[in-house]
Amino acid sequence: MTARYCSLPRQPAPVFAPGLAAERLGALLSGRRMWVNGTVLHYHFFDGEGDGSVIAVPGSGGTRWVSWVGDEAQRDVVRDCFGAWSGLGIGVSFAEVADRSEAELRIGFQQGDGSWSAVGRDALFAGLAERTMNFGWDLTAPGERATALHEIGHALGMQHEHQSPFAGIHWDDEAVYADLAGPPNHWSRDRTYVNILRKLDPAEVNGSVWDPHSVMEYPFSAGLILEPEQFRGGVHPSGELSALDKEFVLRWYPSAAAQPPELVPFRSVPLSLGPGGQADFAVEPPETREYTVGTFGDGDAVVVVFEERDGVPRFLAGRDDGGTPDNATIRARLVKGRRYFVRVRLYSGWGSGRTAVMCW
């Protein structure tokens, strides 16, 4: 029997300034959906009588209104899975809140609408009355805890593993379309393409190798994959967090103990990162004025400044570094009493990683 799959909507392509080199575009793509490390992600379960929406009834041509509210057993599975991710010691934490206006993640349990989640910071574009995550079937059924782990992975910025260009999967396209068109998924060809057959940009994927054991990998039955030969009989992930899942999320969100010191205005902080490495710094300016923030040294990096507003990091300014000592700076007006974050990410395969981040 075909598994029920997470179904992400088609997203518009990001727009960047023209003329950027491929390496620069890759570095910007890789971090655009990731949260600033140290962020507390507040989550809320929809609980009102009017929380729901009208959805189509597959095969009938009709529609019906279905509530978004889930029972306590369903919520407990999701709470447990938030705990599993935070138990890795990552630098992002989770907190349940009763007021949806305080939540970055707003969770529904609408049966029949599939399971899905906004990917990383895309959740910030949803209105307060909208879901950023939904569970469309019973999470207490055997094996379905993996669905909650998977959707929280998306909320952290992770993508579908089988869509990695490093997987080298050669699909039997028509067999995939036919399989997903039937029950229990009832997907259109476009939805199947977006969630299975489409290859992601190498900069967007969860790592430089395919991980068939990842919780972000779909299980597939025999007859859908032609190559690699060893997966013609299907792909069967365990449904738990894999070693590479843990490695990826800790690389993006290292624990507080592994964080560099706070970046104090008028100070520079030595930074030692390997290619593809990242560090986040907190900045609390002592006065309101225009500051220069940036890097110098051997590393070739992207530098981004976020402003924290109501507990949510908002993009303020960003610039890529051409690898020279004086070409990595951002000019930004910082306000006394507000908190800012500076993110530095070295290009994969570029630079030695010997650099520093500074604010003056």
Side-chain angles (χ1 to χ4, degrees):
M1 178 180 174
T2 301
R4 288 172 293 194
Y5 293 144
C6 163
S7 173
L8 301 185
R10 182 186 286 274
Q11 298 295 321
V15 178
F16 297 108
L20 291 177
E23 293 83 3
R24 306 294 197 269
L25 284 171
L28 291 167
L29 274 171
S30 66
R32 67 190 180 96
R33 288 189 170 114
M34 309 305 286
W35 302 96
V36 170
N37 200 40
T39 298
V40 178
L41 289 178
H42 305 89
Y43 64 91
H44 169 79
F45 296 117
F46 281 99
D47 55 5
E49 290 185 4
D51 291 332
S53 60
V54 173
I55 62 173
V57 179
S60 72
T63 60
R64 63 191 177 104
W65 186 91
V66 183
S67 173
W68 295 347
V69 180
D71 62 32
E72 201 64 19
Q74 303 289 324
R75 298 182 185 192
D76 281 344
V77 174
V78 179
R79 292 179 181 118
D80 176 68
C81 290
F82 275 119
W85 279 106
S86 61
L88 300 178
I90 61 177
V92 169
S93 58
F94 306 101
E96 184 175 346
V97 293
D99 186 343
R100 70 187 63 180
S101 69
E102 298 176 0
E104 294 80 27
L105 311 180
R106 293 176 297 282
I107 303 169
F109 296 86
Q110 187 179 52
Q111 301 295 297
D113 191 36
S115 292
W116 49 266
S117 173
V119 179
R121 296 178 64 245
D122 284 354
L124 299 178
F125 297 107
L128 291 179
E130 298 178 79
R131 293 163 294 170
T132 69
M133 186 183 296
N134 188 73
F135 296 103
W137 51 79
D138 183 7
L139 298 179
T140 66
E144 293 301 345
R145 179 175 179 272
T147 299
L149 288 172
H150 180 104
E151 301 308 340
I152 295 170
H154 280 316
L156 287 168
M158 299 179 75
Q159 299 278 11
H160 285 149
E161 190 68 22
H162 51 274
Q163 294 185 267
S164 169
F166 305 120
I169 297 177
H170 178 199
W171 300 97
D172 184 336
D173 290 6
E174 290 306 317
V176 174
Y177 283 129
D179 189 62
L180 273 293
N185 295 290
H186 301 284
W187 281 5
S188 67
R189 289 178 71 91
D190 183 69
R191 190 169 290 273
T192 298
Y193 174 76
V194 168
N195 284 277
I196 296 181
L197 301 179
R198 179 178 64 98
K199 300 298 184 188
L200 297 170
D201 187 287
E204 294 185 277
V205 299
N206 304 336
S208 58
V209 296
W210 175 39
D211 179 14
H213 306 292
S214 171
V215 78
M216 304 309 295
E217 172 63 59
Y218 287 178
F220 291 106
S221 56
L224 303 180
I225 294 175
L226 300 176
E227 301 291 340
E229 184 177 354
Q230 64 266 38
F231 294 103
R232 291 180 184 175
V235 179
H236 308 286
S238 69
E240 297 294 334
L241 303 180
S242 72
L244 289 180
D245 288 336
K246 299 172 186 177
E247 180 181 312
F248 174 80
V249 78
L250 282 167
R251 184 167 69 248
W252 273 107
Y253 306 120
S255 66
Q259 286 298 292
E262 286 198 353
L263 179 59
V264 180
F266 316 111
R267 292 271 187 93
S268 66
V269 179
L271 191 62
S272 180
L273 295 174
Q278 173 184 296
D280 291 333
F281 300 85
V283 179
E284 295 186 1
E287 57 182 304
T288 299
R289 65 173 177 83
E290 190 173 65
Y291 287 81
T292 300
V293 184
T295 63
F296 64 89
D298 296 333
D300 196 6
V302 163
V303 181
V304 182
V305 178
F306 299 89
E307 179 182 3
E308 185 179 87
R309 287 287 187 93
D310 300 321
V312 178
R314 310 286 185 180
F315 175 84
L316 183 64
R319 187 169 182 180
D320 60 87
D321 170 12
T324 61
D326 58 355
N327 193 35
T329 58
I330 299 170
R331 298 285 288 176
R333 180 176 174 80
L334 307 184
V335 178
K336 180 180 179 179
R338 294 182 184 171
R339 186 174 175 86
Y340 300 83
F341 296 93
V342 177
R343 168 167 289 174
V344 179
R345 179 166 172 78
L346 298 193
Y347 297 131
S348 178
W350 286 70
S352 67
R354 296 188 299 272
T355 188
V357 61
M358 54 195 172
C359 181
W360 72 96

